[in-house]
Coordinates of all heavy atoms in Angstrom, one line a residue:
P234 N 14.7 16.1 13.9 CA 15.5 16.4 15.1 C 15.3 15.4 16.2 O 16.2 15.1 17.1 CB 15.2 17.8 15.5 CG 13.9 18.0 14.8 CD 13.8 17.2 13.5
D235 N 14.1 14.7 16.3 CA 13.9 13.7 17.3 C 14.1 12.3 17.0 O 13.6 11.4 17.6 CB 12.4 13.9 17.9 CG 11.4 13.7 16.9 OD1 11.7 13.5 15.7 OD2 10.2 13.7 17.3
F236 N 14.8 12.1 15.8 CA 15.0 10.8 15.4 C 15.9 10.0 16.4 O 16.9 10.4 16.9 CB 15.8 10.8 14.0 CG 16.2 9.4 13.5 CD1 15.2 8.5 13.3 CD2 17.5 9.1 13.4 CE1 15.7 7.2 12.8 CE2 17.9 7.8 12.9 CZ 16.9 6.9 12.6
D237 N 15.4 8.8 16.7 CA 16.1 7.9 17.7 C 16.7 6.7 16.9 O 16.0 5.7 16.6 CB 15.1 7.3 18.7 CG 15.8 6.7 19.9 OD1 16.8 6.0 19.6 OD2 15.2 6.7 21.0
S238 N 17.9 6.8 16.6 CA 18.6 5.8 15.8 C 18.6 4.4 16.5 O 18.3 3.4 15.8 CB 20.1 6.2 15.5 OG 20.8 5.2 14.8
E239 N 18.8 4.4 17.8 CA 18.8 3.1 18.5 C 17.4 2.4 18.4 O 17.3 1.3 18.2 CB 19.3 3.3 19.9 CG 19.4 2.0 20.7 CD 19.9 2.3 22.1 OE1 20.5 3.4 22.3 OE2 19.8 1.4 23.0
L240 N 16.4 3.2 18.7 CA 15.0 2.7 18.6 C 14.7 2.2 17.2 O 14.1 1.2 17.0 CB 14.1 3.8 19.1 CG 12.6 3.4 19.1 CD1 12.3 2.3 20.1 CD2 11.7 4.6 19.4
C241 N 15.1 3.0 16.2 CA 14.8 2.6 14.8 C 15.5 1.3 14.5 O 14.9 0.4 13.8 CB 15.2 3.7 13.9 SG 14.7 3.4 12.2
S242 N 16.8 1.1 14.9 CA 17.5 -0.1 14.7 C 16.8 -1.3 15.3 O 16.7 -2.4 14.8 CB 18.9 0.0 15.2 OG 19.6 0.9 14.4
E243 N 16.3 -1.0 16.6 CA 15.5 -2.1 17.3 C 14.3 -2.5 16.5 O 14.0 -3.7 16.4 CB 15.1 -1.6 18.6 CG 14.2 -2.5 19.4 CD 13.7 -1.9 20.7 OE1 14.3 -1.0 21.3 OE2 12.5 -2.2 21.1
V244 N 13.5 -1.6 16.0 CA 12.3 -1.9 15.2 C 12.7 -2.6 13.9 O 12.2 -3.6 13.5 CB 11.6 -0.6 14.8 CG1 10.4 -0.9 13.8 CG2 11.0 -0.1 16.1
Y245 N 13.8 -2.1 13.2 CA 14.2 -2.7 12.0 C 14.7 -4.1 12.0 O 14.4 -4.9 11.2 CB 15.4 -1.8 11.3 CG 15.8 -2.2 10.0 CD1 15.1 -1.9 8.8 CD2 17.0 -3.0 9.9 CE1 15.5 -2.3 7.6 CE2 17.4 -3.4 8.6 CZ 16.7 -3.1 7.5 OH 17.1 -3.5 6.3
N246 N 15.4 -4.4 13.1 CA 16.0 -5.7 13.3 C 15.1 -6.7 14.1 O 15.5 -7.8 14.3 CB 17.3 -5.6 14.0 CG 18.4 -4.9 13.1 OD1 18.6 -5.4 12.0 ND2 19.0 -3.9 13.6
D247 N 13.9 -6.3 14.4 CA 13.0 -7.2 15.1 C 12.4 -8.2 14.1 O 11.7 -7.8 13.2 CB 11.9 -6.3 15.8 CG 10.9 -7.3 16.5 OD1 11.2 -8.4 16.7 OD2 9.8 -6.7 16.9
D248 N 12.7 -9.4 14.2 CA 12.1 -10.4 13.3 C 11.1 -11.3 13.9 O 10.8 -12.4 13.5 CB 13.3 -11.3 12.8 CG 14.0 -12.0 13.8 OD1 13.6 -12.0 15.0 OD2 15.0 -12.7 13.5
S249 N 10.4 -10.8 15.0 CA 9.4 -11.6 15.7 C 8.2 -11.9 15.0 O 7.4 -12.8 15.3 CB 9.2 -11.0 17.1 OG 8.5 -9.7 16.9
T250 N 7.9 -11.1 13.9 CA 6.7 -11.3 13.1 C 6.9 -12.4 12.0 O 5.9 -12.8 11.4 CB 6.3 -10.0 12.4 OG1 7.3 -9.6 11.5 CG2 6.0 -8.9 13.4

Side-chain angles (χ1 to χ4, degrees):
D235 62 350
F236 174 61
D237 188 330
S238 178
E239 183 176 345
L240 179 62
C241 187
S242 293
E243 175 189 327
V244 172
Y245 182 83
N246 290 309
D247 180 12
D248 59 4
S249 62
T250 64

